[in-house]
Amino acid sequence: MPTALTRAVSPLLADCELTHLERSPIDIHKAAMQQQRYENALRKMGYTIRRLPETPHLPDGVFVEDTAVVFPELGIITRPGAVSRREETETIADVLKEYRELRFIESPGTVDGGDVLVLGKKVYIGQSTRTNGEGTRQFREHLAPFGYSVQEVPVTGCLHLKTAIAVLQDDLLLINPQWIDEKLFPGCLFIYVHPDEPYGANVMRRNTFALCPEAFPHIAKKLEDLGFNLILIDQSELAKAEAGLTCCSVLVEEGL
Ligand code: GLY
């Protein structure tokens, strides 16, 4: 059964890490409601929701994507680039070991899961303020026995690689070319974000469904035109914490 691992919003969310955004007040109750609606949308897309143990003392704990990346053959527990986020990995490792054999990124390597984009057997890893060369080297080493190749992608102007790119179909990518170089994805086709919606590339899709924040009507229209069954949600409070849709879950599809 495809499962989405999620976590409750911490009451300390307003103290989250911020890199490219100014701090602004966050309504925690509204953020928690938005996380619940996000989970409902994932259910509609076919996932069973499994909530990880709560970590109320960790402001960014809801952004579970950064703590683990799941492949059919294994799970990799990351070592987040922000020191304040390192403890978040403990609770996901305990749960994910029920689904996959685990490997771990060790010091001095750092990787945020938001920097990892998987396209078949090709894995793109953003080189950002959170993910370093040593973390990428370890990631490559863990994946090599399973036939994956790893391509490094410099990320500038946004937090993570997946802030700037999403896979819509096999080789069709939604991209903000201001933040990453499309030439690093040879053979792919591109749909570009609208200039008014620079954060619009972080959408999710599964089978016929596409999940998109209400804040990006131009992207939503493109997804509809492509024939996706569109689900729109309000993610405005979580977005103030520099998060996108993918940040709020770790997806565990069927294993081998
Ligand atoms: N607030 C999300 C992050 O910076 O990791």
Side-chain angles (χ1 to χ4, degrees):
M1 175 77 77
T3 301
L5 305 178
T6 63
R7 188 167 2 236
V9 170
S10 159
L12 301 181
L13 179 65
D15 298 329
C16 66
E17 295 283 339
L18 288 177
T19 308
H20 298 277
L21 294 186
E22 294 293 322
R23 202 165 292 280
S24 58
I26 295 179
D27 180 332
I28 295 295
H29 176 69
K30 197 169 165 193
M33 293 299 295
Q34 288 176 355
Q35 175 70 348
Q36 280 178 22
R37 292 197 184 114
Y38 170 78
E39 290 168 332
N40 286 341
L42 293 182
R43 285 188 183 97
K44 198 165 170 187
M45 293 167 80
Y47 292 102
T48 292
I49 301 297
R50 179 167 177 185
R51 275 209 168 181
L52 298 169
E54 295 198 14
T55 52
H57 61 298
L58 298 175
D60 283 295
V62 66
F63 305 127
V64 292
E65 172 183 55
D66 292 318
T67 62
V69 185
V70 182
F71 295 85
E73 304 88 346
L74 77 165
I76 299 180
I77 302 297
T78 67
R79 183 168 179 270
V83 175
S84 71
R85 302 200 56 190
R86 301 251 164 96
E87 195 188 325
E88 293 172 29
T89 58
E90 291 170 15
T91 42
I92 196 159
D94 269 352
V95 170
L96 197 53
K97 71 183 182 201
E98 294 175 28
Y99 300 84
R100 295 290 190 277
E101 210 174 290
L102 298 182
R103 302 284 184 276
F104 294 83
I105 302 299
E106 310 280 1
S107 174
T110 62
V111 174
D112 274 15
D115 276 320
V116 182
L117 181 82
V118 182
L119 201 51
K121 285 285 186 181
K122 184 109 189 178
V123 179
Y124 296 89
I125 303 192
Q127 305 300 290
S128 67
T129 56
R130 300 291 176 83
T131 296
N132 66 17
E134 170 58 16
T136 305
R137 186 196 67 73
Q138 292 179 30
F139 216 96
R140 182 181 281 120
E141 202 170 270
H142 290 319
L143 289 176
F146 305 101
Y148 292 90
S149 66
V150 168
Q151 161 85 51
E152 299 181 13
V153 182
V155 176
T156 51
C158 65
L159 183 58
H160 289 129
L161 176 62
K162 281 193 280 190
T163 317
I165 193 164
V167 180
L168 294 183
Q169 277 153 8
D170 306 330
D171 55 359
L172 179 63
L173 305 179
L174 176 61
I175 187 170
N176 180 337
Q178 303 297 317
W179 289 339
I180 51 174
D181 183 357
E182 64 189 88
K183 290 192 212 63
L184 294 173
F185 301 85
C188 291
L189 302 171
F190 299 99
I191 291 181
Y192 300 100
V193 296
H194 189 278
D196 293 345
E197 299 174 3
Y199 286 89
N202 188 271
V203 301
M204 296 175 73
R205 56 141 287 270
R206 182 165 194 270
N207 301 329
T208 61
F209 290 104
L211 179 61
C212 178
E214 286 172 3
F216 307 129
H218 291 98
I219 301 297
K221 169 86 170 58
K222 281 186 181 168
L223 294 170
E224 259 188 336
D225 289 349
L226 284 167
F228 284 110
N229 188 357
L230 185 64
I231 308 172
L232 287 176
I233 58 170
D234 178 10
Q235 220 207 5
S236 53
E237 294 306 303
L238 294 160
K240 291 179 193 169
E242 205 162 356
L245 292 177
T246 59
C247 300
C248 296
S249 59
V250 167
L251 304 177
V252 187
E253 302 286 351
E254 301 291 347
L256 288 180

